[in-house]
C-alpha cells in the first residue's frame, strides 16, 4: 500500500531528550505521544504501524516527522499552527451574506436559507453567517406573509378544488337529509 519510510535520523542527544520526555511524569501527554512516535520512527517502524500503535492518523505521523526534520526538538514542544488562515469578515463579505440572504433562494427547493446552507453556499463558517444575521436582526425563517405554494396556477386549482369539494359535500348532505326525511314519516 505505502512504501516504507527510512528510519528517522536522530542524534544521540536528541534521542536521550526524547526518552527523557517520554519517561517524565510531568510532560504533557501530547508531547509524550509525539516523542513516542519519533522514537518509533527512529527505530524504522512503518508510519502506518506507528499510527495504529499510538491511535493517531498516518498524516499526523508524517507531519510530525517533517516538523522534526525541519525544526528539531522545538517541533515537539512548540505550538504548531495550521497552514490555512481563517476568513476575516470584511464589509464586502457582510454585504454579500445579507444580499444572498434577503434576495436569493436556496437551490435545493427550500423556502429560506438556514445558517448552515448559506455558509456552505458562500464558503464561510456558519458562525460568521450567524453573527451577521444577529448584528442586522435578520431572521429568514420569519417571513412577512405566508404563501401556501409557489405554483402560479395555485389559485385556479384551489377554486376548482373547492368547487368540487362543495359539490361533493352538498350531494352528501342532500342524501343524508332525504334519508332522514324518509324515516320521519
Amino acid at each position: 500500500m505505502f512504501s516504507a519510510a527510512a528510519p528517522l535520523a536522530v542524534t544521540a542527544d536528541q534521542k536521550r531528550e526524547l526518552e527523557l520526555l517520554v519517561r517524565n511524569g510531568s510532560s504533557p501527554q501530547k508531547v509524550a505521544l509525539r516523542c513516542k512516535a519519533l522514537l518509533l520512527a527512529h527505530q524504522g517502524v512503518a508510519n502506518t504501524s506507528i499510527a495504529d500503535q499510538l491511535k493517531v492518523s498516518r498524516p499526523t505521523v508524517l507531519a510530525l516527522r517533517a516538523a522534526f526534520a525541519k525544526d528539531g526538538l522545538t517541533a515537539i514542544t512548540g505550538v504548531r499552527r495550521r497552514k490555512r488562515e481563517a476568513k476575516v469578515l470584511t464589509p464586502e463579505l457582510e454585504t454579500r451574506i445579507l444580499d444572498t440572504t434577503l434576495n436569493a433562494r436556496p437551490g435545493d427547493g427550500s423556502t429560506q436559507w438556514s445558517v448552515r446552507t448559506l455558509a456552505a453556499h458562500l464558503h464561510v463558517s456558519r458562525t460568521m453567517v450567524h453573527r451577521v444575521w444577529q448584528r442586522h436582526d435578520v431572521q429568514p425563517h420569519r417571513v412577512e406573509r405566508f404563501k401556501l405554494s409557489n405554483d402560479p396556477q395555485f389559485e385556479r386549482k384551489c377554486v376548482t378544488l373547492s368547487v368540487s369539494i362543495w359539490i361533493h359535500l352538498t350531494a352528501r348532505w342532500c342524501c343524508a337529509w332525504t334519508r332522514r326525511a324518509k324515516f320521519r314519516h
Side-chain angles (χ1 to χ4, degrees):
M1 190 154 120
F2 296 109
S3 60
L8 186 65
V10 177
T11 64
D13 291 337
Q14 288 175 334
K15 183 178 178 184
R16 188 172 40 256
E17 185 68 28
L18 290 173
E19 290 170 345
L20 241 162
L21 285 170
V22 169
R23 282 182 283 158
N24 188 356
S26 63
S27 294
Q29 288 296 307
K30 64 181 177 182
V31 171
L33 182 76
R34 291 173 187 167
C35 292
K36 287 177 190 175
L38 290 174
L39 287 171
L40 288 171
H42 174 65
Q43 293 171 5
V45 178
N47 293 329
T48 330
S49 299
I50 295 171
D52 289 341
Q53 282 180 14
L54 301 177
K55 308 254 186 302
V56 295
S57 66
R58 183 177 175 274
T60 301
V61 175
L62 294 173
L64 183 60
R65 285 179 72 128
F68 182 77
K70 181 182 172 194
D71 298 329
L73 287 174
T74 57
I76 299 167
T77 56
V79 176
R80 295 178 4 195
R81 300 274 179 205
R82 291 183 181 216
K83 292 178 183 170
R84 63 182 167 94
E85 288 189 23
K87 286 197 173 187
V88 178
L89 182 62
T90 60
E92 294 82 23
L93 182 59
E94 188 169 345
T95 305
R96 202 165 122 221
I97 290 171
L98 287 172
D99 286 344
T100 307
T101 302
L102 300 174
N103 301 325
R105 282 198 162 177
D108 61 356
S110 302
T111 56
Q112 74 269 345
W113 291 103
S114 72
V115 172
R116 286 180 176 89
T117 56
L118 184 60
H121 178 72
L122 296 177
H123 304 289
V124 295
S125 70
R126 58 189 172 91
T127 53
M128 190 179 293
V129 173
H130 187 68
R131 271 190 243 125
V132 171
W133 283 4
Q134 279 187 328
R135 185 177 303 140
H136 294 281
D137 198 28
V138 174
Q139 299 175 346
H141 61 283
R142 294 187 175 179
V143 291
E144 298 293 320
R145 58 189 168 86
F146 178 72
K147 190 172 184 181
L148 259 157
S149 174
N150 293 330
D151 185 10
Q153 304 290 322
F154 183 69
E155 287 182 28
R156 186 182 60 76
K157 290 177 183 175
C158 281
V159 169
T160 308
L161 182 65
S162 64
V163 167
S164 65
I165 289 173
W166 183 80
I167 291 171
H168 178 71
L169 290 176
T170 306
R172 286 188 66 190
W173 180 80
C174 287
C175 290
W177 188 79
T178 53
R179 270 192 231 124
R180 282 191 213 129
K182 283 182 186 177
F183 290 113
R184 284 189 211 140
H185 297 301

